[in-house]
Amino acid sequence: MTATEIRPDIFWVGAVDWNNRDFHGYSIKKGTSYNAYLVRDEKTVLFDTVRQGFKSDLLHHLHQVTGPQKIDYIVVNHVELDHSGCLPELVELIKPEKIFCSPMGHKALLEHFHRPDWPYQVVKTGDEIKLGKRTVRFIETRMLHWPDSMFSYIPEEKLLISSDAFGQHWATSERFDDQVEESELLAHAAKYYANILLLYSPLVQKLLAEVAANGPAVEIIAPDHGLIWRRSPGAIIDAYGRWSRQESRRKAVIVYDTMWHSTEKMARAVESGLQQEGIEEIRLLHARKNHRSDIMTEVLDARALILGSATLNNNIMPAMADVLTYMKGLRPKEKVGAAFGSYGWSGEAVKHLQAFLDEMGIPAAGEGVRIKNVPGHDSLKACVELGRAVAKAM
Ligand code: FEO
């Protein structure tokens, strides 16, 4: 990789992580990138660093643009270690005049690196620094997605360096949205939103409203992961509007786990009921054969969430507990639900699935269906009826 100029004297200097497949429990099938940016002006600024293990890529790219010792300032938009892992070594090498961070960023930096001696300068929303020809304006974006998160905006370039927001986990040699297939780019961005930001949707709504009312004009959005939006920053802003409103389609997701295929037969009968009522877009997702983060991506724009599990040791199947614990934390909204499952003797699974739906605030479209041992044609009719009831409630 080489450093990439994204505006005159503004460069991508990050690192591409082609082989990472797991991002603390989020399956990243096509790797990721850790984007850092450098602005060369009378004052030269580095925005964020990269994950530990990628320092040599960052240094290689910095040397292509400027000597690291010529960097005056470091801006820490986000303290999470995929962006600050190399910060101690970079501070040692660069000896920056100042390290800019949000108030919460200052606390987080002290708690991560225990270096009260670094030259911090705490900035808040609206604070600006002059670099020469350009200005950097800071915008705190608390809880998007950490307390410390902030954006850096360069008005002369209409460039928003957006930290984790608007990112995608996708390792590419291309750096810009117009160099890749748009549908794949948006699919990666949707997965990222569903698994990182969905929980914070009310804050995303607030931020988008503020930006629309009096915020900056933006021609380029440069996130900390994935591709830079220069052809269509409006497309990703519009998508964030839809996702944060949790807009859904007439799409049903059936997530299930099965012991001896009885609950699986029930899932197919529920699918049949949905189809009888005209639902065409249905996903049957076996919890042990689909990663939790892929299931969450399908749930993002689904109007119905239907859960199935066999009873195991008076409880639900472990993979369902994994998926539902993860899903509950991300707080999907604006859905209808239902539960079903087979059992041998005690049959508590449906009750537990229903409790997950209740905790997520997803109303049940019908009473949960339980079938003892192996379902027959007649007993499956209750599952067909459940699917029809869900379809009518969608
Ligand atoms: Fe990409 Fe929240 O770190």
Side-chain angles (χ1 to χ4, degrees), residues 209-330:
E210 281 171 12
V211 169
N214 47 25
V218 175
E219 284 182 3
I220 302 189
I221 299 176
D224 272 5
H225 298 286
L227 284 295
I228 295 164
W229 304 87
R230 72 175 173 189
R231 176 178 59 191
S232 51
I236 189 63
I237 290 173
D238 289 349
Y240 267 50
R242 290 193 302 279
W243 297 331
S244 62
R245 288 190 294 275
Q246 301 220 24
E247 288 181 8
S248 59
R249 305 204 300 263
R250 275 177 68 77
K251 167 183 167 185
V253 171
I254 303 172
V255 188
Y256 69 96
D257 197 354
T258 189
M259 202 180 298
W260 291 106
H261 301 291
S262 292
T263 300
E264 189 161 64
K265 286 177 184 158
M266 296 175 75
R268 290 179 189 279
V270 172
E271 178 195 21
S272 174
L274 289 161
Q275 286 172 326
Q276 285 177 21
E277 293 297 330
I279 304 300
E280 294 173 352
E281 204 175 347
I282 304 167
R283 305 280 184 270
L284 261 77
L285 302 174
H286 189 305
R288 271 180 288 143
K289 299 183 196 296
N290 292 276
H291 195 273
R292 66 178 82 81
S293 53
D294 293 319
I295 292 173
M296 202 56 228
T297 309
E298 290 289 358
V299 167
L300 176 67
D301 60 359
R303 199 162 303 158
L305 174 65
I306 306 168
L307 306 174
S309 178
T311 295
L312 176 69
N313 301 332
N314 311 115
N315 217 313
I316 56 176
M317 297 285 280
M320 286 300 291
D322 174 325
V323 170
L324 291 174
T325 302
Y326 182 75
M327 190 184 292
K328 190 174 72 172
L330 288 163

Side-chain angles (χ1 to χ4, degrees), residues 23 32-35 82-83 164 167-169 192 223-227:
F23 200 90
T32 190
S33 67
Y34 313 113
N35 297 340
D82 48 333
H83 310 296
D164 276 340
Q168 331 92 46
H169 284 308
Y192 187 95
D224 272 5
H225 298 286
L227 284 295

Side-chain angles (χ1 to χ4, degrees), residues 23-24 32-34 78-83 144-146 148-149 163-165 169 192 196 224-225:
F23 200 90
H24 53 55
T32 190
S33 67
Y34 313 113
H78 184 25
V79 180
E80 192 165 6
L81 287 163
D82 48 333
H83 310 296
L144 289 176
H145 68 123
W146 273 24
D148 61 276
S149 301
S163 187
D164 276 340
H169 284 308
Y192 187 95
I196 305 272
D224 272 5
H225 298 286

Side-chain angles (χ1 to χ4, degrees), residues 2 5 83 100 141 180 282 294:
T2 56
E5 194 163 38
H83 310 296
F100 293 93
T141 57
V180 297
I282 304 167
D294 293 319

Side-chain angles (χ1 to χ4, degrees), residues 349-391:
V350 170
K351 177 184 73 181
H352 292 305
L353 294 177
Q354 190 59 60
F356 270 107
L357 289 172
D358 291 345
E359 286 171 45
M360 289 191 278
I362 297 176
E367 189 149 343
V369 176
R370 301 188 318 149
I371 294 180
K372 195 159 187 275
N373 288 316
V374 178
H377 183 73
D378 284 344
S379 58
L380 282 176
K381 283 181 186 161
C383 296
V384 175
E385 287 309 314
L386 185 66
R388 295 183 65 178
V390 173

